Amino acid sequence: MKTLLFFALRNILRQKSRAILLGTAMALGTCFLVIAGSFVTGISQTLFDRVMVYVAGHVSVLVGDRGYQYRPALRGEAHLRERLAQLPHVRRVQETIGIVCRMVGSKKSDNGILIGTDLSQKLTEKELAENRDNFPMVAGSFLDLARPELDVPAILSRSKAEYLGVKVGDPLSVRFQDSRGRNQVSHLVLVGIFEPSNSFMDAPLFVSMDRLKTLMDMDSTDLPYLYFTLEDPQKNAIPVADSIRRLLAPRLAALPVRVASGGSFRDAFAAGVKTDSVSRVRLGSQLKLPHEWKPGRIVLPRDLADALHVVPGDTVKVSSGFSHAGDTVLDRAEVAGTWVPPPGAEGLALWDENAFQAQRSFRSRLPGDTGIPQVQSAAKTLDTLLSPEWTLLPRTRTTDDVRDQMRKVGARDWKSPVVMVRTMYETGEMILKLASALNIITLVAVLVLLLVVLTGVVNSLRMTVRERTREIGTLRSLGMQASQVRALFLMETGLLALFSAVAGTVIAGAIMFGLSLLTFKVQGNPLSILMVRGHLVFVPGILSTIGQILLVVGMAVLAAWGPSGTAARLNPADALRHHE
Amino acid sequence: MKKILAILLSMAFSAFPDQPDGSKILKVLETNESLRDDVHATVSLTETRPGQGAKLIQCEYYRRDSDKSFVIAMTAPESDRGNGYLRQGDHFWMYRQNTRTFQHINRDESIGGSDARGQDFESRPLTQMYAPSKDAKGAELLRADTIGGVPCWRLEVRAIVSDVDYPRKTFWLRQDNLLLAKDQSFSTSGSLMHTGYYTKYQPIAGRQVPMRQVHVDEVEKGNRTLVDMTGMVVGRLDAKIFTKAWLESRSK
């Protein structure tokens, strides 16, 4: 083996010009392969780590209130966040609110996205550095969002600030719809301006999360969207999303209510009952109701109805507490009939799901609110007629699925809140497709290049075999086996390819370093999302680089297989007689 | 029947010779808004934006309140001609002529890039959404005022449910006929967001219908929309109008 290695190295050095020319071609091929691979990885990483993680998180939990896609609040369920944060591989859970808004400056108006920033989050040094990198401040600081003397401090991108004609210290009006769907206007004060790292980061208008929750008419008990940052997101995103979904399985919903008629009232619990055509028939026949079961109606426990002296057809007032604004959450319902609740469900009224869920949404949750045991007891007889706390939608696999699902969420069929769990793969499927397309294009281009190079390898080896026919004859006469002759030529090619590939990788590193220092002016150009502040991003991985080197060496050895076989099959006597 | 209703309405008006009750004013507004019959009208919206000039949007509007249906068939601008919207009960679709497809519209989805959303077309009785505001002594915030020299009642109301467009509103109604002359809408913080002027009424089928309205955006100064209704016809409309097929056939 040592002898073969010695001969192989000697032959490479003996034919310097040929080795240099062939090696240069292979080095360039490798160089291109490494640069292209690193560039595609860089784009994917930029999009995922600098765009997707902010736009959608590695995994996200999205909520919608009763068919309203853009009302991001699950009322009274903020406690879920802590439970979900305990899951393995979850590095951070961040509450997120992003609302489309209209910004009105001193010069002009423009659309933007009002985003809440949770200033209470403790970030690692690395995360802080990433934030500084993504949102380098031109004026002010992100911590200014917490300034207590201002009503609502805000931070905006430089280009938006210039367009709107505002600078630090200026007022800025913003119009948006709050979590109830009400049109609101808020007067902000600009306390900072940042330079966006890419065009995706142009639109946000940052305010502190606690202030945005107030503006949105949400309180600390309400759960907005949750974005999860994971360890090793590409591996863990899907399993973690599945675990989150399992944890978010809903129970049946209950509501403590006060039913009033005339001057008297009784406290009770209510369950929501569906009012679709099938449910109408089922409940009507099951409870033998004297009046049709339909929206706006309630079925009272018999003893409660007797105590209030109400009969089917009467109207009762149903209240369930107070709204954030302090108003009584009150509705009127027509009594469709009475029923005798099963054991454990005493005092349970059955209420039209729509009105029931609306009250759940409007009222402030109180500590100790319950009624769940009563509803669970009723579930034995009423089963699927009862309304859940929320509807957990199935997991989606593609962006198209996500789009379809969002349409369904916005449809009016949903009477209960809706919860979805997504990963970056569905949300960022377009990005993944873009990365895959770039990968394929790169691979094809590189393969064509390598094919040209390898054609050169084959030709060179054929010439070498021809030139060294007598030498082969001598070696065979001295006892070298045919297989050793083949191994010699393969080793020669393999070593040359290895040296060239390593040299090509070093050159690629130098070129990538040089290119990443260049600054491209891409302000307003969609391509800017592929860069970080105008710089190209290359991410060469150790394993992928080793793989690329092995690919080049492997292909060179494969190309050398034919000519090496020819050399091995030469008859020693004929080879010795060979003369050019 | 319509005559009887008109007489009843006029009786309601004459029942407030002095200061009327705020709740009754709201009820009158609600009655004026509701339609008992199907209606068809040509609606023109002239949107003015600072630095952008005026944009004319025109459509044919067909409405049937009995089953919460309506159709909007766009006729202008040229780029929107043939497009349309259809609502049937709880479902709302947008029709695009160039792709010949119907797309379901979410409740909170913007319509045609405008400020209007799907939910804006869901009508709810006014008295289920608002009640007269009261001062510290419990008196309704209702007083006499004038709009352009015309004596009006000025009534402040507040939302009694959470999911309304505006948490606070103020209405000005002419004292002589209790027709809405002006309204203003406020955010929770009390900022004025929108002002509407109702300048021209026309009696149609025993009802006073506002044929010209001006809507002023008070947040983005200079934005205003003039709404003109012409050719209003009240009466039973052909049921086939409120179908996807009819809307699609209009664009052929």
Side-chain angles (χ1 to χ4, degrees):
Chain A
M1 189 66 182
K2 260 187 185 174
T3 315
L4 281 179
L5 196 62
F6 171 77
F7 276 128
L9 283 170
R10 190 205 63 176
N11 288 339
I12 290 171
L13 293 173
R14 210 175 60 179
Q15 295 171 312
K16 281 196 187 72
S17 312
R18 187 173 295 162
I20 287 169
L21 284 172
L22 199 57
T24 304
M26 286 195 280
L28 285 176
T30 314
C31 177
F32 186 71
L33 185 63
V34 171
I35 290 175
S38 307
F39 185 56
V40 171
T41 312
I43 287 173
S44 303
Q45 195 168 324
T46 303
L47 291 173
F48 274 112
D49 291 355
R50 291 177 186 271
V51 178
M52 287 304 296
V53 77
Y54 293 102
V55 174
H58 296 137
V59 170
S60 51
V61 172
L62 309 180
V63 295
D65 190 13
R66 296 172 299 129
Y68 294 98
Q69 184 179 333
Y70 301 116
R71 294 189 187 176
L74 197 59
R75 305 287 172 187
E77 305 292 351
H79 58 92
L80 289 170
R81 176 181 157 167
E82 297 313 316
R83 279 178 66 200
L84 298 174
Q86 307 299 322
L87 284 169
H89 308 298
V90 173
R91 218 168 72 196
R92 189 147 49 90
V93 184
Q94 196 173 354
E95 289 190 340
T96 305
I97 301 176
I99 297 295
V100 176
C101 67
R102 186 79 180 163
M103 300 179 284
V104 185
S106 61
K107 274 193 203 163
K108 288 183 177 174
S109 312
D110 201 4
N111 295 327
I113 301 171
L114 189 57
I115 292 180
T117 302
D118 189 354
L119 298 169
S120 64
Q121 285 266 331
K122 286 199 172 94
L123 302 181
T124 62
E125 271 308 310
K126 191 184 168 209
E127 286 167 334
L128 282 170
E130 274 176 13
N131 279 355
R132 279 194 295 268
D133 203 30
N134 277 320
F135 303 101
M137 297 302 292
V138 176
S141 152
F142 253 84
L143 297 177
D144 290 336
L145 290 178
R147 282 169 61 179
E149 77 277 15
L150 300 172
D151 274 350
V152 189
I155 287 175
L156 193 60
S157 74
R158 189 175 56 77
S159 53
K160 285 280 185 200
E162 284 173 3
Y163 182 80
L164 297 171
V166 289
K167 54 186 188 303
V168 169
D170 284 351
L172 174 71
S173 297
V174 60
R175 183 168 60 189
F176 58 97
Q177 279 201 325
D178 70 13
S179 65
R180 311 282 183 186
R182 293 175 296 201
N183 292 306
Q184 301 286 10
V185 63
S186 183
H187 304 290
L188 321 179
V189 179
L190 196 65
V191 293
I193 294 173
F194 66 91
E195 183 71 56
S197 60
N198 57 54
S199 60
F200 256 111
M201 299 302 164
D202 238 10
L205 171 64
F206 291 103
V207 296
S208 71
M209 178 59 90
D210 53 345
R211 280 165 160 130
L212 182 56
K213 275 188 168 181
T214 307
L215 295 178
M216 291 290 291
D217 193 15
M218 293 168 68
D219 67 19
S220 58
T221 67
D222 296 334
L223 187 77
Y225 288 0
L226 292 179
Y227 284 4
F228 292 73
T229 307
L230 306 180
E231 295 159 357
D232 196 357
Q234 302 205 354
K235 181 181 157 199
N236 294 321
I238 290 173
V240 169
D242 291 339
S243 304
I244 290 172
R245 198 173 174 280
R246 279 193 292 276
L247 272 177
L248 289 177
R251 298 175 301 176
L252 292 169
L255 188 65
V257 291
R258 174 165 290 180
V259 184
S261 177
S264 50
F265 65 85
R266 287 288 183 280
D267 289 330
F269 297 106
V273 176
K274 294 169 187 170
T275 52
D276 57 275
S277 51
V278 176
S279 304
R280 284 184 194 194
V281 175
R282 268 191 63 195
L283 190 78
S285 60
Q286 199 167 330
L287 300 186
K288 305 212 177 340
L289 297 175
H291 290 256
E292 187 193 0
W293 178 243
K294 65 179 190 181
R297 292 196 167 164
I298 194 166
V299 176
L300 295 176
R302 193 156 296 157
D303 54 348
L304 189 144
D306 291 344
L308 292 176
H309 307 294
V310 293
V311 292
D314 286 354
T315 299
V316 293
K317 289 180 182 174
V318 186
S319 60
S320 59
F322 297 94
S323 70
H324 296 167
D327 294 319
T328 307
V329 178
L330 176 74
D331 213 336
R332 285 176 175 76
E334 191 184 334
V335 180
T338 58
W339 78 312
V340 179
E346 290 82 5
L348 187 70
L350 308 175
W351 195 11
D352 152 35
E353 184 183 32
N354 206 15
F356 169 82
Q357 290 288 3
Q359 287 222 356
R360 286 189 75 232
S361 171
F362 295 158
R363 71 192 286 270
S364 287
R365 294 292 165 94
L366 303 171
D369 269 4
T370 183
I372 300 278
Q374 285 80 354
V375 180
Q376 294 288 6
S377 302
K380 290 164 197 159
T381 50
L382 297 174
D383 190 28
T384 54
L385 289 170
L386 297 172
S387 185
E389 290 176 305
W390 56 81
T391 303
L392 185 60
L393 297 187
R395 291 262 293 111
T396 49
R397 301 292 161 199
T398 64
T399 303
D400 287 340
D401 290 350
V402 170
R403 206 176 295 127
D404 287 349
Q405 199 173 68
M406 290 313 282
R407 289 214 179 290
K408 286 176 191 161
V409 170
R412 290 154 191 76
D413 299 339
W414 303 107
K415 308 299 183 201
S416 61
V418 175
V419 176
M420 296 152 275
V421 182
R422 299 227 182 104
T423 71
M424 59 183 184
Y425 290 112
E426 299 102 85
T427 320
E429 195 203 5
M430 296 303 285
I431 293 173
L432 287 172
K433 279 183 178 170
L434 176 71
S436 302
L438 284 171
N439 259 327
I440 291 168
I441 292 168
T442 308
L443 194 67
V444 170
V446 167
L447 285 177
V448 170
L449 186 73
L450 283 176
L451 203 66
V452 174
V453 171
L454 295 176
T455 308
V457 171
V458 173
N459 275 335
S460 296
L461 272 179
R462 287 172 71 88
M463 282 167 62
T464 306
V465 170
R466 193 173 177 83
E467 283 169 11
R468 287 161 50 186
T469 302
R470 294 182 68 188
E471 182 189 319
I472 293 165
T474 309
L475 289 169
R476 292 296 310 278
S477 309
L478 290 171
M480 186 180 268
Q481 300 300 307
S483 61
Q484 288 175 309
V485 172
R486 182 198 294 268
L488 176 65
F489 276 90
L490 290 178
M491 204 174 279
E492 245 179 83
T493 310
L495 283 173
L496 182 62
L498 180 66
F499 296 146
S500 307
V502 171
T505 304
V506 173
I507 294 165
I511 291 173
M512 288 190 289
F513 179 71
L515 284 174
S516 63
L517 292 180
L518 298 177
T519 307
F520 296 89
K521 291 196 172 175
V522 286
Q523 196 75 32
N525 188 325
L527 285 177
S528 66
I529 65 163
L530 305 178
M531 301 183 188
V532 176
R533 290 197 308 285
H535 294 279
L536 291 170
V537 181
F538 297 94
V539 181
I542 293 174
L543 285 177
S544 60
T545 306
I546 292 172
Q548 284 152 348
I549 290 173
L550 291 178
L551 176 72
V552 172
V553 172
M555 287 185 75
V557 170
L558 204 67
W561 195 267
S564 307
T566 308
R569 284 192 298 274
L570 281 175
N571 184 302
D574 292 342
L576 282 170
R577 278 200 297 274
H578 179 79
H579 188 68
E580 290 283 327
Chain B
M1 181 64 186
K2 284 172 192 164
K3 274 187 180 174
I4 294 168
L5 280 167
I7 291 165
L8 283 174
L9 266 178
S10 63
M11 280 171 66
F13 298 158
S14 60
F16 309 131
D18 300 317
Q19 182 147 320
D21 174 60
S23 304
K24 285 180 182 164
I25 286 186
L26 272 182
K27 195 70 193 169
V28 169
L29 276 172
E30 183 180 294
T31 310
N32 282 347
E33 278 180 4
S34 64
L35 286 170
R36 291 175 294 274
D37 295 306
D38 301 351
V39 66
H40 166 229
T42 302
V43 182
S44 300
L45 292 94
T46 310
E47 285 184 351
T48 312
R49 302 272 180 273
Q52 295 177 21
K55 179 186 175 189
L56 176 71
I57 299 167
Q58 208 161 43
C59 64
E60 296 296 322
Y61 181 57
Y62 302 85
R63 178 170 154 180
R64 186 173 64 192
D65 276 8
S66 59
D67 62 351
K68 293 195 284 185
S69 296
F70 68 75
V71 167
I72 297 172
M74 303 299 294
T75 52
E78 194 55 39
S79 56
D80 272 343
R81 182 190 285 272
N83 294 341
Y85 299 90
L86 165 66
R87 183 179 165 193
Q88 288 175 337
D90 279 347
H91 296 279
F92 194 7
W93 292 275
M94 172 175 66
Y95 174 67
R96 283 285 161 265
Q97 185 201 13
N98 52 2
T99 53
R100 296 208 171 277
T101 52
F102 282 86
Q103 191 181 329
H104 203 277
I105 291 184
N106 292 339
R107 300 175 98 163
D108 44 6
E109 200 168 324
S110 167
I111 294 171
S114 70
D115 294 339
R117 292 168 194 277
Q119 67 197 47
D120 297 340
F121 293 88
E122 294 175 22
S123 55
R124 264 194 297 174
L126 199 60
T127 51
Q128 283 185 17
M129 297 190 286
Y130 293 98
S133 299
K134 293 179 179 172
D135 61 17
K137 292 177 183 168
E140 288 180 347
L141 295 175
L142 173 66
R143 62 180 169 83
D145 201 353
T146 54
I147 298 288
V150 178
C152 290
W153 294 119
R154 180 185 186 278
L155 173 67
E156 291 182 34
V157 298
R158 61 179 194 87
I160 52 173
V161 290
S162 298
D163 53 347
V164 290
D165 282 351
Y166 296 100
R168 285 177 48 203
K169 293 187 99 160
T170 303
F171 296 110
W172 282 261
L173 293 93
R174 291 171 62 116
Q175 288 189 10
D176 53 356
N177 55 15
L178 284 188
L179 290 178
L180 182 64
K182 174 184 169 181
D183 65 8
Q184 288 191 323
S185 307
F186 300 85
S187 69
T188 305
S189 61
S191 299
L192 176 62
M193 297 188 71
H194 166 267
T195 303
Y197 298 94
Y198 304 83
T199 56
K200 187 177 152 192
Y201 280 84
Q202 191 176 315
I204 294 173
R207 304 276 308 285
Q208 292 292 335
V209 178
M211 303 302 280
R212 169 165 283 193
Q213 306 170 22
V214 182
H215 296 276
V216 179
D217 184 340
E218 302 287 1
V219 180
E220 286 184 64
K221 296 292 180 191
N223 287 3
R224 54 193 289 137
T225 305
L226 174 71
V227 182
D228 272 311
M229 282 199 280
T230 51
M232 181 175 275
V233 179
V234 177
R236 190 168 178 78
L237 291 169
D238 192 341
K240 73 179 181 192
I241 291 174
F242 303 96
T243 60
K244 287 182 176 180
W246 185 85
L247 186 55
E248 195 173 8
S249 69
R250 268 188 66 95
S251 63
K252 282 181 181 165

